[in-house]
Amino acid sequence: MKKILLFLLPLLLFTACGEDCYNPPQPIVFEFVNAAGENLIANGTLTTYSIQDENNVAIQLTKTSENRVLLENVGAYNGTKNYKFYSNVKLFDFSIESSEFNSGCEGYQINKLTFTGVEFDVKDENGYYKIIFK
């Protein structure tokens, strides 16, 4: 009986550690500005906004203290998913391509964001995407 317990104890410990080891994808943050660089949330121009995925499921958004928008729970899948951004100022589409990785822990990484639409530019600002509405 002791031998069985000694064998099962390490097995249970290693199994429990694997379940707790998960790396979510990096967060995606958008900052919306006009051509002059003014933040559209801070100046009151952008008052309503939402994002839906390709299945018309709403994505949870959080406004940060810097008047940026954090997209919650996106990128935890293999492949590409399409999204629509709706607001009182502009509409546009974007897609997120992500993949699974395993570096000792399971998780997902976002490989690429692609934006489509007219009359806006996007700059990757190391930690957030600055979306410039023209």
Side-chain angles (χ1 to χ4, degrees):
M1 184 71 170
K2 276 187 176 181
K3 290 181 182 180
I4 293 174
L5 286 176
L6 289 175
F7 174 74
L8 290 177
L9 184 60
L11 183 63
L12 289 173
L13 289 174
F14 287 118
T15 302
C17 291
E19 291 176 10
D20 293 337
C21 189
Y22 174 74
N23 290 321
Q26 292 292 324
I28 295 178
V29 180
F30 293 159
E31 179 180 31
F32 301 99
V33 300
N34 60 20
E38 299 171 314
N39 184 297
L40 298 177
I41 295 174
N43 73 13
T45 302
L46 185 62
T47 56
T48 58
Y49 48 87
S50 66
I51 295 175
Q52 290 185 346
D53 71 10
E54 58 197 16
N55 299 315
N56 295 322
V57 175
I59 302 302
Q60 182 179 347
L61 305 175
T62 302
K63 186 177 104 175
T64 69
S65 59
E66 297 91 13
N67 290 307
R68 296 178 182 153
V69 177
L70 171 67
L71 285 65
E72 302 281 350
N73 303 317
V74 294
Y77 50 81
N78 280 320
T80 301
K81 225 176 193 184
N82 298 308
Y83 298 88
K84 286 193 174 291
F85 173 83
Y86 301 93
S87 77
N88 62 306
V89 177
K90 198 165 293 284
L91 309 174
F92 64 86
D93 298 324
F94 65 99
S95 62
I96 299 173
E97 180 185 313
S98 60
S99 61
E100 190 173 6
F101 74 94
N102 190 339
S103 61
C105 289
E106 292 181 4
Y108 293 91
Q109 62 188 1
I110 294 175
N111 302 319
K112 183 178 176 182
L113 261 74
T114 305
F115 295 87
T116 55
V118 294
E119 298 182 11
F120 74 94
D121 291 323
V122 178
K123 291 184 181 179
D124 185 347
E125 296 286 336
N126 292 325
Y128 69 94
Y129 293 90
K130 185 180 282 188
I131 300 173
I132 306 160
F133 291 156
K134 296 179 180 182

PDB file of all heavy atoms in Angstrom, residues 49-66:
ATOM      1  N   TYR A  49     -19.211  52.882 -28.158  1.00  0.00           N
ATOM      2  CA  TYR A  49     -18.419  51.963 -28.964  1.00  0.00           C
ATOM      3  C   TYR A  49     -18.658  50.544 -28.464  1.00  0.00           C
ATOM      4  O   TYR A  49     -18.961  50.316 -27.290  1.00  0.00           O
ATOM      5  CB  TYR A  49     -16.924  52.315 -28.922  1.00  0.00           C
ATOM      6  CG  TYR A  49     -16.390  52.554 -27.535  1.00  0.00           C
ATOM      7  CD1 TYR A  49     -15.930  51.498 -26.754  1.00  0.00           C
ATOM      8  CD2 TYR A  49     -16.353  53.833 -26.993  1.00  0.00           C
ATOM      9  CE1 TYR A  49     -15.453  51.723 -25.468  1.00  0.00           C
ATOM     10  CE2 TYR A  49     -15.878  54.054 -25.720  1.00  0.00           C
ATOM     11  CZ  TYR A  49     -15.430  52.997 -24.968  1.00  0.00           C
ATOM     12  OH  TYR A  49     -14.956  53.212 -23.694  1.00  0.00           O
ATOM     13  N   SER A  50     -18.559  49.608 -29.393  1.00  0.00           N
ATOM     14  CA  SER A  50     -18.695  48.189 -29.058  1.00  0.00           C
ATOM     15  C   SER A  50     -17.976  47.370 -30.119  1.00  0.00           C
ATOM     16  O   SER A  50     -17.684  47.855 -31.211  1.00  0.00           O
ATOM     17  CB  SER A  50     -20.164  47.783 -28.967  1.00  0.00           C
ATOM     18  OG  SER A  50     -20.785  47.889 -30.233  1.00  0.00           O
ATOM     19  N   ILE A  51     -17.696  46.121 -29.780  1.00  0.00           N
ATOM     20  CA  ILE A  51     -17.054  45.192 -30.704  1.00  0.00           C
ATOM     21  C   ILE A  51     -17.813  43.879 -30.636  1.00  0.00           C
ATOM     22  O   ILE A  51     -18.162  43.409 -29.551  1.00  0.00           O
ATOM     23  CB  ILE A  51     -15.567  44.979 -30.350  1.00  0.00           C
ATOM     24  CG1 ILE A  51     -14.795  46.289 -30.532  1.00  0.00           C
ATOM     25  CG2 ILE A  51     -14.960  43.859 -31.195  1.00  0.00           C
ATOM     26  CD1 ILE A  51     -13.345  46.223 -30.109  1.00  0.00           C
ATOM     27  N   GLN A  52     -18.053  43.289 -31.820  1.00  0.00           N
ATOM     28  CA  GLN A  52     -18.683  41.977 -31.907  1.00  0.00           C
ATOM     29  C   GLN A  52     -17.811  41.063 -32.741  1.00  0.00           C
ATOM     30  O   GLN A  52     -17.169  41.509 -33.700  1.00  0.00           O
ATOM     31  CB  GLN A  52     -20.067  42.072 -32.537  1.00  0.00           C
ATOM     32  CG  GLN A  52     -21.086  42.748 -31.658  1.00  0.00           C
ATOM     33  CD  GLN A  52     -22.476  42.712 -32.270  1.00  0.00           C
ATOM     34  OE1 GLN A  52     -22.653  42.425 -33.448  1.00  0.00           O
ATOM     35  NE2 GLN A  52     -23.470  43.011 -31.460  1.00  0.00           N
ATOM     36  N   ASP A  53     -17.802  39.784 -32.356  1.00  0.00           N
ATOM     37  CA  ASP A  53     -17.046  38.832 -33.164  1.00  0.00           C
ATOM     38  C   ASP A  53     -17.888  38.367 -34.340  1.00  0.00           C
ATOM     39  O   ASP A  53     -19.032  38.804 -34.523  1.00  0.00           O
ATOM     40  CB  ASP A  53     -16.528  37.670 -32.310  1.00  0.00           C
ATOM     41  CG  ASP A  53     -17.600  36.707 -31.831  1.00  0.00           C
ATOM     42  OD1 ASP A  53     -18.762  36.771 -32.289  1.00  0.00           O
ATOM     43  OD2 ASP A  53     -17.270  35.858 -30.975  1.00  0.00           O
ATOM     44  N   GLU A  54     -17.332  37.474 -35.129  1.00  0.00           N
ATOM     45  CA  GLU A  54     -17.987  37.019 -36.355  1.00  0.00           C
ATOM     46  C   GLU A  54     -19.298  36.269 -36.102  1.00  0.00           C
ATOM     47  O   GLU A  54     -20.095  36.079 -37.013  1.00  0.00           O
ATOM     48  CB  GLU A  54     -17.032  36.153 -37.173  1.00  0.00           C
ATOM     49  CG  GLU A  54     -16.520  34.955 -36.427  1.00  0.00           C
ATOM     50  CD  GLU A  54     -15.285  34.335 -37.054  1.00  0.00           C
ATOM     51  OE1 GLU A  54     -14.634  34.976 -37.892  1.00  0.00           O
ATOM     52  OE2 GLU A  54     -14.970  33.202 -36.686  1.00  0.00           O
ATOM     53  N   ASN A  55     -19.527  35.853 -34.861  1.00  0.00           N
ATOM     54  CA  ASN A  55     -20.773  35.185 -34.488  1.00  0.00           C
ATOM     55  C   ASN A  55     -21.743  36.144 -33.814  1.00  0.00           C
ATOM     56  O   ASN A  55     -22.692  35.707 -33.165  1.00  0.00           O
ATOM     57  CB  ASN A  55     -20.481  34.000 -33.571  1.00  0.00           C
ATOM     58  CG  ASN A  55     -19.615  32.960 -34.250  1.00  0.00           C
ATOM     59  OD1 ASN A  55     -19.858  32.597 -35.401  1.00  0.00           O
ATOM     60  ND2 ASN A  55     -18.597  32.492 -33.563  1.00  0.00           N
ATOM     61  N   ASN A  56     -21.473  37.445 -33.942  1.00  0.00           N
ATOM     62  CA  ASN A  56     -22.292  38.510 -33.338  1.00  0.00           C
ATOM     63  C   ASN A  56     -22.333  38.448 -31.814  1.00  0.00           C
ATOM     64  O   ASN A  56     -23.309  38.865 -31.199  1.00  0.00           O
ATOM     65  CB  ASN A  56     -23.710  38.509 -33.912  1.00  0.00           C
ATOM     66  CG  ASN A  56     -23.714  38.856 -35.377  1.00  0.00           C
ATOM     67  OD1 ASN A  56     -22.959  39.708 -35.830  1.00  0.00           O
ATOM     68  ND2 ASN A  56     -24.551  38.187 -36.144  1.00  0.00           N
ATOM     69  N   VAL A  57     -21.267  37.936 -31.222  1.00  0.00           N
ATOM     70  CA  VAL A  57     -21.137  37.908 -29.770  1.00  0.00           C
ATOM     71  C   VAL A  57     -20.365  39.151 -29.338  1.00  0.00           C
ATOM     72  O   VAL A  57     -19.298  39.450 -29.896  1.00  0.00           O
ATOM     73  CB  VAL A  57     -20.402  36.629 -29.301  1.00  0.00           C
ATOM     74  CG1 VAL A  57     -20.151  36.657 -27.805  1.00  0.00           C
ATOM     75  CG2 VAL A  57     -21.190  35.386 -29.703  1.00  0.00           C
ATOM     76  N   ALA A  58     -20.908  39.870 -28.381  1.00  0.00           N
ATOM     77  CA  ALA A  58     -20.265  41.100 -27.908  1.00  0.00           C
ATOM     78  C   ALA A  58     -18.977  40.772 -27.152  1.00  0.00           C
ATOM     79  O   ALA A  58     -18.932  39.840 -26.351  1.00  0.00           O
ATOM     80  CB  ALA A  58     -21.219  41.867 -27.009  1.00  0.00           C
ATOM     81  N   ILE A  59     -17.951  41.557 -27.405  1.00  0.00           N
ATOM     82  CA  ILE A  59     -16.677  41.440 -26.700  1.00  0.00           C
ATOM     83  C   ILE A  59     -16.701  42.421 -25.540  1.00  0.00           C
ATOM     84  O   ILE A  59     -17.069  43.584 -25.708  1.00  0.00           O
ATOM     85  CB  ILE A  59     -15.494  41.775 -27.646  1.00  0.00           C
ATOM     86  CG1 ILE A  59     -15.517  40.845 -28.873  1.00  0.00           C
ATOM     87  CG2 ILE A  59     -14.167  41.715 -26.920  1.00  0.00           C
ATOM     88  CD1 ILE A  59     -15.443  39.371 -28.566  1.00  0.00           C
ATOM     89  N   GLN A  60     -16.296  41.948 -24.367  1.00  0.00           N
ATOM     90  CA  GLN A  60     -16.256  42.832 -23.204  1.00  0.00           C
ATOM     91  C   GLN A  60     -15.114  43.835 -23.375  1.00  0.00           C
ATOM     92  O   GLN A  60     -13.984  43.464 -23.691  1.00  0.00           O
ATOM     93  CB  GLN A  60     -16.055  42.035 -21.926  1.00  0.00           C
ATOM     94  CG  GLN A  60     -16.049  42.890 -20.690  1.00  0.00           C
ATOM     95  CD  GLN A  60     -15.859  42.069 -19.422  1.00  0.00           C
ATOM     96  OE1 GLN A  60     -15.966  40.856 -19.427  1.00  0.00           O
ATOM     97  NE2 GLN A  60     -15.568  42.749 -18.346  1.00  0.00           N
ATOM     98  N   LEU A  61     -15.431  45.109 -23.173  1.00  0.00           N
ATOM     99  CA  LEU A  61     -14.455  46.186 -23.301  1.00  0.00           C
ATOM    100  C   LEU A  61     -14.325  46.903 -21.965  1.00  0.00           C
ATOM    101  O   LEU A  61     -15.314  47.087 -21.257  1.00  0.00           O
ATOM    102  CB  LEU A  61     -14.904  47.184 -24.369  1.00  0.00           C
ATOM    103  CG  LEU A  61     -15.199  46.616 -25.756  1.00  0.00           C
ATOM    104  CD1 LEU A  61     -15.757  47.694 -26.667  1.00  0.00           C
ATOM    105  CD2 LEU A  61     -13.952  45.993 -26.350  1.00  0.00           C
ATOM    106  N   THR A  62     -13.106  47.326 -21.648  1.00  0.00           N
ATOM    107  CA  THR A  62     -12.854  48.086 -20.430  1.00  0.00           C
ATOM    108  C   THR A  62     -12.125  49.364 -20.796  1.00  0.00           C
ATOM    109  O   THR A  62     -11.093  49.321 -21.481  1.00  0.00           O
ATOM    110  CB  THR A  62     -11.992  47.272 -19.440  1.00  0.00           C
ATOM    111  OG1 THR A  62     -12.663  46.054 -19.146  1.00  0.00           O
ATOM    112  CG2 THR A  62     -11.740  48.047 -18.171  1.00  0.00           C
ATOM    113  N   LYS A  63     -12.655  50.498 -20.370  1.00  0.00           N
ATOM    114  CA  LYS A  63     -11.975  51.778 -20.587  1.00  0.00           C
ATOM    115  C   LYS A  63     -10.902  51.928 -19.514  1.00  0.00           C
ATOM    116  O   LYS A  63     -11.176  51.782 -18.329  1.00  0.00           O
ATOM    117  CB  LYS A  63     -12.967  52.938 -20.521  1.00  0.00           C
ATOM    118  CG  LYS A  63     -12.338  54.283 -20.874  1.00  0.00           C
ATOM    119  CD  LYS A  63     -13.364  55.386 -20.863  1.00  0.00           C
ATOM    120  CE  LYS A  63     -13.148  56.171 -19.599  1.00  0.00           C
ATOM    121  NZ  LYS A  63     -13.964  57.347 -19.446  1.00  0.00           N
ATOM    122  N   THR A  64      -9.673  52.222 -19.935  1.00  0.00           N
ATOM    123  CA  THR A  64      -8.568  52.370 -18.988  1.00  0.00           C
ATOM    124  C   THR A  64      -8.471  53.812 -18.495  1.00  0.00           C
ATOM    125  O   THR A  64      -9.130  54.708 -19.032  1.00  0.00           O
ATOM    126  CB  THR A  64      -7.222  51.981 -19.645  1.00  0.00           C
ATOM    127  OG1 THR A  64      -6.888  52.960 -20.635  1.00  0.00           O
ATOM    128  CG2 THR A  64      -7.286  50.592 -20.276  1.00  0.00           C
ATOM    129  N   SER A  65      -7.630  54.035 -17.515  1.00  0.00           N
ATOM    130  CA  SER A  65      -7.443  55.386 -16.971  1.00  0.00           C
ATOM    131  C   SER A  65      -6.786  56.322 -17.993  1.00  0.00           C
ATOM    132  O   SER A  65      -6.880  57.542 -17.861  1.00  0.00           O
ATOM    133  CB  SER A  65      -6.605  55.329 -15.695  1.00  0.00           C
ATOM    134  OG  SER A  65      -5.345  54.755 -15.969  1.00  0.00           O
ATOM    135  N   GLU A  66      -6.149  55.764 -19.034  1.00  0.00           N
ATOM    136  CA  GLU A  66      -5.545  56.581 -20.092  1.00  0.00           C
ATOM    137  C   GLU A  66      -6.517  56.834 -21.236  1.00  0.00           C
ATOM    138  O   GLU A  66      -6.108  57.258 -22.315  1.00  0.00           O
ATOM    139  CB  GLU A  66      -4.280  55.900 -20.653  1.00  0.00           C
ATOM    140  CG  GLU A  66      -3.167  55.712 -19.663  1.00  0.00           C
ATOM    141  CD  GLU A  66      -3.266  54.368 -18.950  1.00  0.00           C
ATOM    142  OE1 GLU A  66      -4.031  53.488 -19.385  1.00  0.00           O
ATOM    143  OE2 GLU A  66      -2.589  54.202 -17.923  1.00  0.00           O
TER     144      GLU A  66
END
